[in-house]
Amino acid sequence: MRMRKKKNGPARMQACADYLLDSGQMEQACEGKELRIEIGCGKGTFLLESAEREPDVFFVGIERVFGAALLAAEKLREAQTPNACVMLGDVMSLSENFPAHRVSRIYLNFSDPWPKARHAKRRLTYRTFLAEYKKLLAPDGAILFKTDNVQLFEFSLQEFEESGFLLRNRTDDLHASKWEADNIHTEYEDNFSAKGFSIHRVEAYLD
Ligand SMILES: C[S@@+](CC[C@H](N)C(=O)[O-])C[C@H]1O[C@@H](n2cnc3c(N)ncnc32)[C@H](O)[C@@H]1O
């Protein structure tokens, strides 16, 4: 995601300090609630709506781009959302930041496709990342993945299966499917959908 340098970044960050948390603060804020995370939450539209729909669940958006994380945190602050926060950081440090087997859902929404074969290991559904997600997921946990990118989708299905995940509720046209009724659109989703791309979605379970 391309982002201009944010004007007044430090001051704005300070203003939404209650929503831009580190791992210790996040654990406190979560208070034993069911925990779900979105990796690469962008500007936070999905995060906010998810939290509003499910007040008994705590949602954490992980985002490595400062400008996007800031916008997401500002969105949560404006809505005074009590059950969500943003963590500025990279997927690589997940297991340092979350207790083992505590997360019930990991959302991967429109992850960067990294189309070149030599960059396959950077895709967030590459097997080394899946191994990290397994450490976080509760026994009945799942990864919910959606993308407009057919090549990334096919690659991911294979990675999920080879990593021992069980695939359920797959669709190659989410917006025309029965799952659309509960689907929360992301910024990229609306963008790609408006351009005529159909949206692929699958749930990958540990068990
Ligand atoms: C294509 S955008 C999708 C944003 C949002 N999920 C949506 O659907 O509108 C991918 C997002 O993932 C973030 N991202 C990519 N790799 C990441 C990583 N390794 N750790 C954390 N965030 C990452 C990017 O900064 C970007 O905001």
Side-chain angles (χ1 to χ4, degrees):
M1 176 176 284
R2 288 201 160 189
M3 282 271 155
R4 284 173 199 276
K5 198 165 178 231
K6 288 287 161 223
K7 212 174 162 194
N8 301 324
R12 288 169 61 188
M13 196 174 156
Q14 185 58 37
C16 53
D18 289 346
Y19 293 94
L20 210 46
L21 304 186
D22 63 27
S23 56
Q25 294 166 323
M26 179 275 295
E27 274 199 58
Q28 268 195 320
C30 178
E31 286 179 322
K33 282 193 164 109
E34 180 186 338
L35 181 59
R36 302 189 191 180
I37 66 179
E38 183 191 6
I39 300 173
C41 69
K43 298 176 192 168
T45 300
F46 178 89
L47 186 66
L48 173 61
E49 196 170 335
S50 299
E52 287 182 336
R53 276 198 202 176
E54 299 199 73
D56 294 335
V57 176
F58 195 86
F59 291 86
V60 181
I62 295 158
E63 176 53 59
R64 70 176 176 185
V65 173
F66 172 74
L70 183 61
L71 289 173
E74 287 180 333
K75 220 171 242 160
L76 298 179
R77 186 190 61 158
E78 198 178 314
Q80 293 287 295
T81 315
N83 58 319
C85 73
V86 179
M87 282 174 70
L88 180 60
D90 195 277
V91 70
M92 300 296 284
S93 48
L94 273 182
S95 49
E96 291 160 29
N97 289 322
F98 288 89
H101 307 301
R102 172 77 172 80
V103 174
S104 65
R105 295 283 179 273
I106 295 177
Y107 298 97
L108 291 172
N109 293 325
F110 300 85
S111 306
D112 297 322
W114 293 106
K116 291 182 180 153
R118 70 172 190 275
H119 291 149
K121 290 182 180 176
R122 299 183 190 180
R123 297 173 192 153
L124 294 184
T125 49
Y126 185 65
R127 59 196 63 193
T128 52
F129 290 125
L130 298 185
E132 289 301 305
Y133 306 154
K134 272 187 182 179
K135 293 181 196 164
L136 263 52
L137 282 171
D140 56 350
I143 299 169
L144 275 58
F145 175 60
K146 56 181 175 174
T147 180
D148 61 295
N149 188 293
V150 188
Q151 288 78 20
L152 177 65
F153 193 61
E154 295 298 336
F155 168 87
S156 304
L157 294 177
Q158 214 171 345
E159 292 294 295
F160 284 133
E161 283 189 324
E162 286 182 20
S163 301
F165 284 90
L166 302 171
L167 300 182
R168 295 188 195 137
N169 298 332
R170 172 187 171 169
T171 173
D172 290 308
D173 192 355
L174 174 59
H175 295 178
S177 76
K178 64 180 178 183
W179 294 285
E180 175 61 5
D182 292 327
N183 183 33
I184 297 175
H185 287 208
T186 77
E187 287 115 14
Y188 272 67
E189 183 164 357
D190 282 338
N191 206 350
F192 284 114
S193 179
K195 288 179 182 155
F197 289 89
S198 56
I199 308 302
H200 308 265
R201 174 194 184 270
V202 74
E203 298 170 10
Y205 288 81
L206 283 177
D207 194 11

